Amino acid sequence: MTKEKKRDPLSPFDATDRELIALLKRDARAPISVLAEVLKLSRGTVQNRLDKLFASGALLGFSVRVRDDFDPNSVRAVMMIEVAGKSTSQVILRLRRIPELEKIHTTNGGWDLVAEICAANLQEFDRVLRDVREIEGVLNSETSILLSTV
């Protein structure tokens, strides 16, 4: 049994694909049979959609999520970055080489980029800040350490 949903003309994926991804974000270990039951689709259809999502690059893989307090010595922070002129692409390429930068976002407003940092300790955190600030094209940055999640 299949269920068709409207497709957004601007996206190669339909509402069912987005719902499948949302389910996997909540539980990446969910069996295909459970996903099929929730989506009211056959197991084969769910598997085909997963294959399509992987082939397209929309799904990159599965990962482990760890509580923020799992490693009490780690330092988590958000860094806002101002970039010179049209050097954003080059700066992003350099930022991606820093493994402690878990995510990098473009943004609007006073800052050009926002980076999520997770360093093993304060010494590594300090090194990451230095590494980012030494990248050619980075004009300014402001970093806020995340103290607790509420």
Side-chain angles (χ1 to χ4, degrees), residues 80-83 107-113:
M80 283 70 70
I81 303 166
E82 181 183 5
V83 177
T107 187
N108 66 333
W111 300 100
D112 300 303
L113 301 169

Short mmCIF file of all heavy atoms in Angstrom, two decimals, residues 80-83 107-113:
data_model
loop_
_atom_site.label_atom_id
_atom_site.label_comp_id
_atom_site.label_asym_id
_atom_site.label_seq_id
_atom_site.Cartn_x
_atom_site.Cartn_y
_atom_site.Cartn_z
N MET A 80 30.56 33.44 16.24
CA MET A 80 30.09 34.25 15.13
C MET A 80 31.33 34.82 14.42
O MET A 80 32.27 35.24 15.08
CB MET A 80 29.21 35.40 15.61
CG MET A 80 27.78 34.98 15.99
SD MET A 80 27.65 33.99 17.48
CE MET A 80 28.04 35.15 18.73
N ILE A 81 31.30 34.77 13.09
CA ILE A 81 32.49 35.12 12.32
C ILE A 81 32.13 36.15 11.25
O ILE A 81 31.17 35.96 10.50
CB ILE A 81 33.08 33.86 11.65
CG1 ILE A 81 33.41 32.80 12.70
CG2 ILE A 81 34.30 34.21 10.80
CD1 ILE A 81 33.68 31.42 12.14
N GLU A 82 32.94 37.21 11.18
CA GLU A 82 32.81 38.22 10.13
C GLU A 82 33.88 37.94 9.08
O GLU A 82 35.05 37.72 9.42
CB GLU A 82 33.00 39.62 10.70
CG GLU A 82 32.87 40.71 9.67
CD GLU A 82 33.13 42.09 10.24
OE1 GLU A 82 33.51 42.21 11.43
OE2 GLU A 82 32.98 43.07 9.48
N VAL A 83 33.47 37.94 7.82
CA VAL A 83 34.37 37.59 6.72
C VAL A 83 34.59 38.80 5.83
O VAL A 83 33.67 39.59 5.58
CB VAL A 83 33.77 36.42 5.90
CG1 VAL A 83 34.64 36.08 4.71
CG2 VAL A 83 33.57 35.20 6.78
N THR A 107 24.65 33.01 7.69
CA THR A 107 23.59 33.72 8.40
C THR A 107 23.46 35.13 7.86
O THR A 107 24.24 35.55 7.00
CB THR A 107 23.88 33.73 9.93
OG1 THR A 107 22.76 34.29 10.62
CG2 THR A 107 25.13 34.51 10.26
N ASN A 108 22.47 35.83 8.36
CA ASN A 108 22.31 37.24 7.97
C ASN A 108 22.59 38.09 9.20
O ASN A 108 22.85 37.58 10.28
CB ASN A 108 20.90 37.49 7.43
CG ASN A 108 19.85 37.30 8.51
OD1 ASN A 108 20.04 36.56 9.46
ND2 ASN A 108 18.74 37.97 8.36
N GLY A 109 22.56 39.39 9.03
CA GLY A 109 22.81 40.27 10.16
C GLY A 109 24.26 40.71 10.20
O GLY A 109 24.95 40.74 9.18
N GLY A 110 24.73 41.00 11.40
CA GLY A 110 26.08 41.53 11.58
C GLY A 110 27.19 40.53 11.36
O GLY A 110 28.33 40.91 11.14
N TRP A 111 26.89 39.26 11.41
CA TRP A 111 27.90 38.21 11.24
C TRP A 111 27.62 37.43 9.96
O TRP A 111 26.48 37.27 9.56
CB TRP A 111 27.89 37.26 12.44
CG TRP A 111 28.19 37.99 13.72
CD1 TRP A 111 27.27 38.41 14.65
CD2 TRP A 111 29.46 38.42 14.18
NE1 TRP A 111 27.90 39.07 15.67
CE2 TRP A 111 29.25 39.10 15.41
CE3 TRP A 111 30.75 38.31 13.70
CZ2 TRP A 111 30.29 39.64 16.15
CZ3 TRP A 111 31.79 38.85 14.44
CH2 TRP A 111 31.56 39.50 15.65
N ASP A 112 28.67 36.93 9.34
CA ASP A 112 28.52 36.18 8.09
C ASP A 112 28.35 34.69 8.31
O ASP A 112 27.64 34.02 7.56
CB ASP A 112 29.76 36.43 7.20
CG ASP A 112 29.93 37.90 6.88
OD1 ASP A 112 28.98 38.49 6.32
OD2 ASP A 112 30.99 38.46 7.21
N LEU A 113 29.02 34.16 9.33
CA LEU A 113 29.00 32.73 9.61
C LEU A 113 28.81 32.48 11.10
O LEU A 113 29.22 33.30 11.92
CB LEU A 113 30.31 32.07 9.16
CG LEU A 113 30.70 32.20 7.69
CD1 LEU A 113 32.14 31.72 7.49
CD2 LEU A 113 29.74 31.41 6.82
#
